[in-house]
Amino acid sequence: MTDIARQRAERLAAQPLITLASGPGGFFRGTINDLRELWKRRELQGILVRRELKNRYKDSALGFLWTLIKPITMLLVYYFALGQILGASRNTPEYAIFVFAGLTIWGLYADILTSSTMSILQNAALIKKVYMPREVFPLASVGSALLNFCIQFGVLLVAMIVFGQVPVNWDSLYIIPAVLVVAIFGTALALVLSALNVYLRDVQYLVDVMVVLLFWASPVVYAFRSVAGSDAAGVGTWLYQLYLLNPITIAVVAFQRGTWLHGHGVETSLAKSHIPLSHNYPADLDLRLIIAIVVGLVFLWFAHRLFTRLQGNFAQEI
Amino acid sequence: MAAKIPVLKDAPLVIRMAGLSKRFVIRKEKSLKERIVNFGRSNKHKDDFLALHDLNLEIHAGQTVGLIGHNGSGKSTLLKVIGGIIRPTTGVIQRRGQIAALLELGAGFHPDLTGRENIFMNGSILGLTRKQLAGKFDEIVEFSGIGEFIETQVKFYSSGMYVRLAFAIAVSVDPDILLVDEVLAVGDEAFQQKCMNKIRQFQQEGCTIVLVSHSAEQIREMCDRVIVLDHGNVIFDGNTENGLSALSTSFEE
Ligand SMILES: Nc1ncnc2c1ncn2[C@@H]1O[C@H](COP(=O)(O)OP(=O)(O)OP(=O)(O)O)[C@@H](O)[C@H]1O
Ligand SMILES: [Mg+2]
């Protein structure tokens, strides 16, 4: 018997026996523990995010450049085709900036939902062979979506300067809660959807359809004021209230407020329109943002509890 | 019979199971349509399968346990439960120390990543930091004998190369518990020999090994204890020779 063996035995004897989870997994057990475990795995998380980004453009010659090419092309299309040729810019000044801002924040949301839903299934090979907290996979999807968002946001900033807007004023602060709302709800949904998709493969198709539908439920390509000023869904109607219940709508509007300076009512061209300027943004945007963040955090907690409950059977179901 | 390394007196317990069972529920439908069509009758569309039945086992530090049994007897399932990959339905399982597992083929690599990237990913899953891994990298590549293929995507590896890399990573973390499920059979003779030597070194160093194998010779050579599973039940637990004959009598029945 070697010394190493004796040392190992002593070291092991000093450690407590760890009981592995059994049964379907409790709902209220150990959020703190899970978070600590996840924090310990942050390096793995970084590796997974990098892998996901790489995977997106794998085997392509231009690779990461595609992340830039796509949004720039989009920006140009919206500027020329929609703005100049189809004339959307007559109702909405700086239409290109407006729509690009909306698409940037919406794109973050859509990106999180579609990529995270598949994340557990795509990592089946790993999940079946090694133990690790399975949250890392949907979280890596969220992380890579956030990085892509940052790149697109950079393009947006450049575009704002090119189009002659100074990109900093007090309203710029709205960008922060806007991104927070999308990130919180996106992460919560990422956990729920990725776990459900293991048991029911239809979820991934359902998500695709929902993303298309939800796109029109937020003022991404049309201006918020055209909703607020309309007869059917204008201020005061129940449809308007329903419309504002969608946290992503709140986030999109706040993001536009932070990046699209022409929406602030100073522009004379807007004043000519029959819709009052106060309809550019919902009246209680700040309060709604705070509520969205608080509700989002509660939802995130529930989503994580659901995830830990479902993850016990991942390895045998995929 | 090769001389066995004596197990340390009063060696600490490293794996303990009590009343451990695993029931698989096999649902026949996976899609929404089928679920809706079969709604209400869905219990009839479930198949229950008891893969492990009321296991009570204790494994002490430094033991090398051979886990044998017919196909489908639950060996791989048991290793996955020990590894924490599958959650038992009822019962308790306790464990201590760093664990590394080589479970069937595949080893948990990502096919699109190169060998190098997989080393870093797998190592960090096993709990090593980037710095520790960078230090061990050469050693891992050296042991695997993969050479320049380390920069090739893993999907282009042969199954032997897969196992070589997986084994090299698993042993690099200096595990206290090593789970090996049949994988070694894929390696060529030279590599099998290398693995056996490594496993012997681990035995010397007091590492606990649970080995699943269909090769009686391998079991005889490596193990100081054998557990025979039969349809999820332990039908024998004891010394190697008796275990192997218990297995062959169970085949004859
Ligand atoms: N994910 C799963 N879902 C349903 N049943 C499963 C699952 N995994 C294993 N089983 C069942 O559990 C039983 C035990 O399987 P296991 O893989 O543990 O057998 P084994 O002893 O490793 O066999 P072999 O010698 O062929 O490797 C089998 O009947 C198998 O069908
Ligand atoms: Mg097996």
Side-chain angles (χ1 to χ4, degrees), chain A residues 316, chain B residues 24 26 49 51 69-77 182 214:
Chain A
Q316 71 199 50
Chain B
F24 285 116
I26 303 159
F49 184 81
H70 60 86
N71 290 135
S73 56
K75 305 180 295 291
S76 301
T77 307
E182 285 181 292
H214 288 294

Side-chain angles (χ1 to χ4, degrees), chain B residues 110-128:
Chain B
H110 196 279
D112 286 328
L113 295 185
T114 66
R116 174 190 294 274
E117 291 163 327
N118 266 305
I119 289 180
F120 279 96
M121 188 169 74
N122 241 310
S124 91
I125 287 172
L126 287 172
L128 295 185

Side-chain angles (χ1 to χ4, degrees), chain A residues 13-44:
Chain A
Q15 287 177 23
L17 275 170
I18 298 165
T19 304
L20 304 186
S22 71
F27 192 77
F28 287 103
R29 246 187 321 192
T31 305
I32 303 284
N33 266 347
D34 290 347
L35 287 181
R36 198 177 300 144
E37 179 87 350
L38 271 178
W39 177 247
K40 270 196 266 169
R41 301 303 186 115
R42 60 191 183 282
E43 213 167 79
L44 173 63

Side-chain angles (χ1 to χ4, degrees), chain B residues 64-68 79 178-182 184 196 199 209-213 218-219 222-223:
Chain B
T64 303
V65 181
L67 196 56
I68 54 180
L79 282 200
L178 180 66
L179 310 177
V180 184
D181 193 350
E182 285 181 292
L184 297 182
M196 288 305 162
I199 288 180
I209 298 161
V210 183
L211 183 76
V212 171
S213 173
Q218 215 172 48
I219 296 284
M222 311 301 307
C223 303

